[in-house]
Structures are given as C-alpha cells and as structure tokens.
Amino acid sequence: MNKIRPPRVTFHQLRTLEAVVRLGSITRAAAELHLTQPTVSAQIHELQSALDTALVEPVGRGIRPTEAAQLLRATALDMFARWQRFEEDLQALHGLERGRLRIAGVTTTEYFIARWLRRYTDSHPGIDIELAVDNRDAVVRRLQQDEIELAVMMMPPDNLPLHRVPLMRNPLVLIGPAGHPWAGARRVARTALNGQALLMREPGSGTRLATEAYLHTHGLTPTVRATLGSNEAIKHAVAAGLVLAVVSRHALAADPAHDGVALLPVVGFPIERRWLLVWRSDRRLSLAAQRFVEHVRAHPPDEPDTAAAAGA
C-alpha cells in the first residue's frame, strides 16, 4: 500500500506563493501579508528549491508566475479550503459554531447584501464574514478559483456546475433625467428607444447582458453613448443630461427623484430578473456556508416594492 508523503513545503510558504501569483508582484504580496520583500523572496526561493522547479521568472522590472506556480496556487487553494473545513468540522464536533463565510456579490448587491449578512451574523455570532463586492467577471473568477464559496448574482455563468437558490426579484428599470418628457406618459412604445442615447454598464455586467438580450429580442437599436463601471456613475450621468440607462431598481432610492432621475414607462420595462445565491456543486460547502444557505431559505430577503419598480 502506498503511503501518502507529507508535503515538503509549509502553509506559510504556500500562502506567500498564492499572494504573489494572484497579485503578480512580490512587492504587493509583501504589503498584503505584512512581510518584508526579502522575506517574500526568500520563501519563494525556498519553495523553488524544495520543488526543484521555477515558480517566477523576471519580466522587465517585475516578475511573472510560471505555469508551475499557477498549478501550485490551485493546489494551495484546495488545501486551504480543506483545512478550513476541518477546523469548522472540529468546532462542530465540540458543539461550537465557528468559522468563516467567504461570499461575494456583484456590484449592485452593495445596496442590500450587508443587511442580509447582518441578519445572519445576529443569529450566528461566531461566524466571521469575508465579503467581496465586485463586477460580475471578477465574482465568476473568484468562484472558478475557489476564493469564495457563495456568490450572489443575477446571471450565473454557464461553464461552472452550480447550485442555485432564487432569492428575490431584481427588476431592471429604464431611467432618464428628472423631468424627461416620457416620465409623464402613461405608456411609451418600445420602438421609441431606437436611436436614443443609452448608457451601459461594463461588458460582462449582468445588467448589461440582460439589457442587450432584451434589445436584441425586440430588434431595438439605441445608440450606446458611454460605458460606465458603476451604478452610481450611471445615475449621476443620467441625472446630468438627456441620456437613458437601465439599472436595477435596488440601485435607486425609494423615490427615484432623490437620485435626480425618473422611471420611464416604456413597454417591456421593468425587465424582470431574479437574484440568485449560487455555489459550486462540485465542492463541499463549509459549515458556515451551509448555515447561511439554510438561513436564506428560512428567511427570504425582502422583495422590492412592486409599484415603485414598475414606475406606477
């Protein structure tokens, strides 16, 4: 029977390697880990000696991780996740609830995700929260690389095996500046969007993907005036001029006039979508993540006001 050989490296070395590969810089890794640059360089050198393979190579005045370093980082992330689950299972064995919840949400969730997490931590005070709020592409990448266990998004990727729990409605509304001529209309034909100046979120954004699908389905051809990377930037830009945009109703005040914008009653809006809680079906959830899924199922998040979302 073959014996499992213990690793020739330490967790500290692997943690350092993971940071160097992820950040692409010894300097940035040292700053994040609160280590000196010589210490980080020494740990990388020790790893290379132990494995007898190059992990970084010089590029100009910086470094570039090798393919071996990328492979080792993936292995290290798997080891970290397994160790975390062991610690949580050990705590559970002793009747204690401890652990860390690693969760991410796409940018629009910044308007409500903290409230969800507060309800969870109130009933699970022993759980530490590690929250990342980023654009959709970054959240998908975190799922792919096992940097998080759970994610809240509207349009999950199709290339990952995922469990999905519907959370609440996410109406995508069409907005214009306060006082826009359409704001006082009862209904506006969707063909009126043809040739209109439209602001869009960045490529890959769930809101943009849903908007583009809607426009394509109905053969509409507005003019994309600009691409902006945040809801706040879009709201300010719409409030400042005669341009339109599609945003989540969650990104607006209860009275959109407080944001300097108006909901426009164009046929087909709001575009009805849902927020989803997702996680990898090919990974085992930590105890903290399991408890969060149970909590969300038992205490569904509040729905947005239907009349406000529809612009009534």
Side-chain angles (χ1 to χ4, degrees):
M1 181 176 179
N2 293 330
K3 293 183 178 180
I4 296 177
R5 292 184 302 166
R8 293 168 288 169
V9 300
T10 68
F11 265 33
H12 288 301
Q13 291 171 337
L14 291 175
R15 180 68 71 187
T16 299
L17 181 279
E18 190 281 325
V20 169
V21 174
R22 172 167 45 84
L23 299 172
S25 164
I26 287 177
T27 301
R28 289 196 290 271
E32 179 178 288
L33 298 172
H34 304 289
L35 299 173
T36 64
Q37 291 184 43
T39 297
V40 171
S41 296
Q43 291 191 9
I44 296 299
H45 178 73
E46 291 167 3
L47 269 175
Q48 292 182 138
S49 297
L51 300 173
D52 192 26
T53 189
L55 297 174
V56 296
E57 53 191 16
V59 177
R61 300 178 64 179
I63 57 96
R64 177 171 58 204
T66 64
E67 186 176 349
Q70 299 285 0
L71 179 62
L72 181 56
R73 178 177 183 264
T75 302
L77 288 173
D78 184 57
M79 291 175 64
F80 298 157
R82 287 174 179 270
W83 184 261
Q84 178 179 315
R85 289 163 190 162
F86 161 73
E87 291 182 326
E88 292 166 347
D89 288 346
L90 186 62
Q91 295 287 356
L93 186 64
H94 293 290
L96 300 174
E97 190 175 276
R98 294 288 185 271
R100 175 174 288 104
L101 176 65
R102 296 178 296 127
I103 185 171
V106 295
T107 49
T108 302
T109 65
E110 66 183 332
Y111 297 100
F112 54 79
I113 197 168
R115 187 168 64 251
W116 292 1
L117 293 174
R118 173 62 184 275
R119 293 173 182 172
Y120 172 68
T121 56
D122 283 348
S123 55
H124 300 78
I127 302 298
D128 295 326
I129 304 295
E130 187 176 301
L131 170 65
V133 175
D134 216 327
N135 63 44
R136 178 181 175 276
D137 285 349
V139 171
V140 170
R141 186 166 58 250
R142 290 175 187 271
L143 275 173
Q144 290 172 328
Q145 298 177 354
D146 285 330
E147 295 177 9
I148 56 172
E149 292 187 274
L150 303 174
V152 180
M153 58 176 52
M154 179 176 62
M155 301 185 71
D158 294 325
N159 63 339
L160 286 178
L162 296 173
H163 287 302
R164 310 174 185 212
V165 173
L167 296 176
M168 65 180 184
R169 295 173 52 246
N170 180 27
L172 303 181
V173 295
L174 181 68
I175 61 172
H180 190 282
W182 294 356
R186 182 176 178 82
R187 218 61 174 154
V188 177
R190 60 168 58 98
T191 53
L193 286 172
N194 288 325
Q196 291 290 323
L198 195 67
L199 296 177
M200 282 280 199
R201 285 290 304 271
E202 74 283 358
S205 156
T207 300
R208 178 165 184 156
L209 291 173
T211 302
E212 289 177 336
Y214 172 83
L215 296 174
H216 176 75
T217 297
H218 297 287
L220 303 174
T221 55
T223 301
V224 178
R225 177 67 58 82
T227 297
L228 299 176
S230 76
N231 292 306
E232 292 302 309
I234 283 181
K235 288 192 295 185
H236 288 307
V238 170
L242 292 176
V243 286
L244 311 182
V246 178
V247 298
S248 167
R249 184 63 181 83
H250 294 279
L252 300 174
D255 180 358
H258 292 160
D259 291 315
V261 303
L263 302 185
L264 305 182
V266 170
V267 171
F269 287 90
I271 303 170
E272 289 293 346
R273 295 287 180 170
R274 293 198 75 85
W275 291 113
L276 303 172
L277 178 67
V278 304
W279 65 94
R280 296 275 294 269
S281 59
D282 58 346
R283 300 288 189 271
R284 177 191 168 208
L285 285 181
S286 67
L287 183 62
Q290 291 175 40
R291 292 287 184 268
F292 184 77
V293 173
E294 293 167 2
H295 175 83
V296 167
R297 282 176 164 153
H299 306 282
D302 297 332
E303 293 280 355
D305 181 78
T306 303

